[in-house]
Amino acid sequence: MSTDIQPENNPVDRQSPGELIRLENVTKRFGTNTVLDRLDFSVQAGKHVTLIGPSGSGKTTILRLLMTLTEPDEGIITVEGQQLFPAPEKQVREIRKQIGMVFQQFNLFPNMSALRNITEAPVTVLGMSRDEAEARARELLDLVGLADKCDARPSQLSGGQQQRVAIARALAMRPKVLLLDEVTSALDPELVAGVLDVLRDIARTTDITMLCVTHEMNFARDISDQVLMFDSGRIIESGPPEQIFSEPAKDRTREFLSAVL
Ligand SMILES: Nc1ncnc2c1ncn2[C@@H]1O[C@H](COP(=O)(O)OP(=O)(O)OP(=O)(O)O)[C@@H](O)[C@H]1O
Ligand SMILES: [Mg+2]
């Protein structure tokens, strides 16, 4: 970081205690389509925040911004007080190490065993020894109920099993933040519960901060500290799950919930 930066401009000093993620006035456009419109919100360390809202309201775009898969047009995004855009390459890499993401479509490496899928990034990115990475991968496979599937390739696993490997793979990097984007929506209905149980366990037993996009409202109600309701790139209401699901303040939220519940 350059030394001529003034304290009031230093993102570290903008951070309130316990705050892990902060979006300030973030706008994202694709052409003339404004998909995030001057968005402000922050997430405290260890909290579980669920993003709900209609298709196209910008939920995935927020997770992609945090993964630095896309850039904002305006506004400031910080993780642990460190600004993401613009930022030196090294700072972006350091921030990215703190964040794990699980996608709707698993995205496992098809030519690698479950175990190798999990050990690859710790070895290549974190420089962990292969032995240590494998020991940790076996623990994680056990945690997600797949201790017997170490050697299986993705094509030999069910969708639910593949998604549990993908969750283990994200956890292997010991992220502070886990981003989950509709991780059960590509699964056959009977496989959904197993994956949600694994996530409930992680929410209950770890201090990982979770940002979760889901249409599974019972799950959201169980794990969330806060629910953010999106519409057209803005948060139209937010609050604890009991309030959002039982007494939403906005008609739009009520309408959305009656369509998905
Ligand atoms: N790469 C892109 N190029 C152009 N437009 C995009 C791109 N990615 C997203 N969009 C648009 O941005 C808007 C928000 O998309 P986003 O994927 O964030 O929505 P979402 O809330 O996750 O929706 P869903 O619930 O259907 O997943 C949509 O109008 C989408 O068409
Ligand atoms: Mg989406």
Side-chain angles (χ1 to χ4, degrees):
M1 196 179 291
S2 75
T3 49
D4 60 358
I5 210 158
Q6 295 302 306
E8 62 269 26
N9 294 331
N10 184 339
V12 172
D13 295 313
R14 309 166 79 105
Q15 191 188 15
S16 66
E19 185 178 272
L20 194 63
I21 294 171
R22 184 182 187 83
L23 279 76
E24 271 180 76
N25 210 23
V26 169
T27 293
K28 174 70 186 173
R29 298 183 199 93
F30 289 107
T32 55
N33 185 10
T34 301
V35 303
L36 297 177
D37 189 9
R38 290 162 290 158
L39 199 65
D40 283 309
F41 74 91
S42 61
V43 179
Q44 300 293 111
K47 296 292 182 192
H48 308 142
V49 175
T50 302
L51 283 52
I52 63 170
S55 182
S57 58
K59 306 176 301 291
T60 294
T61 303
I62 291 168
L63 303 190
R64 288 176 49 83
L65 283 167
L66 289 166
M67 286 294 284
T68 65
L69 296 169
T70 189
E71 287 188 23
D73 292 289
E74 286 156 34
I76 294 173
I77 300 177
T78 55
V79 177
E80 288 193 303
Q82 307 255 21
Q83 193 165 328
L84 260 182
F85 310 98
E89 181 96 356
K90 184 161 176 285
Q91 185 164 321
V92 173
R93 267 203 311 274
E94 287 308 310
I95 294 173
R96 283 279 294 97
K97 277 190 209 163
Q98 318 279 348
I99 305 177
M101 183 157 177
V102 182
F103 301 86
Q104 186 174 344
Q105 295 295 347
F106 334 138
N107 297 353
L108 294 176
F109 307 120
N111 55 336
M112 293 181 191
S113 67
L115 192 80
R116 187 71 190 265
N117 260 281
I118 299 169
T119 57
E120 196 59 15
V123 170
T124 58
V125 180
L126 300 183
M128 201 182 275
S129 76
R130 199 158 278 284
D131 282 353
E132 190 187 349
E134 282 198 13
R136 168 99 177 123
R138 285 178 200 281
E139 275 172 31
L140 287 166
L141 280 171
D142 190 33
L143 175 85
V144 300
L146 294 175
D148 56 339
K149 298 290 184 189
C150 291
D151 299 323
R153 303 262 170 136
S155 61
Q156 299 167 318
L157 299 171
S158 75
Q161 291 170 337
Q162 289 184 60
Q163 193 57 300
R164 283 184 277 152
V165 173
I167 292 166
R169 181 175 63 173
L171 293 178
M173 295 294 282
R174 299 189 189 278
K176 287 196 177 140
V177 186
L178 192 59
L179 308 177
L180 303 162
D181 195 1
E182 298 195 37
V183 298
T184 57
S185 53
L187 299 178
D188 290 338
E190 70 270 24
L191 301 177
V192 169
V195 171
L196 293 181
D197 281 348
V198 165
L199 294 173
R200 275 196 188 88
D201 251 17
I202 294 166
R204 206 179 47 238
T205 60
T206 73
D207 56 4
I208 297 179
T209 307
M210 289 164 81
L211 228 66
C212 179
V213 177
T214 184
H215 293 299
E216 297 289 339
M217 296 301 159
N218 287 327
F219 170 72
R221 198 189 279 260
D222 288 353
I223 67 143
S224 306
D225 296 295
Q226 195 187 19
V227 178
L228 308 178
M229 167 70 194
F230 281 78
D231 193 30
S232 305
R234 311 211 69 170
I235 295 169
I236 60 164
E237 102 168 86
S238 69
E242 314 81 63
Q243 182 198 320
I244 299 291
F245 293 124
S246 305
E247 302 172 67
K250 292 278 178 0
D251 289 344
R252 183 72 187 96
T253 309
R254 199 162 306 146
E255 199 180 280
F256 170 76
L257 290 173
S258 67
V260 295
L261 280 175

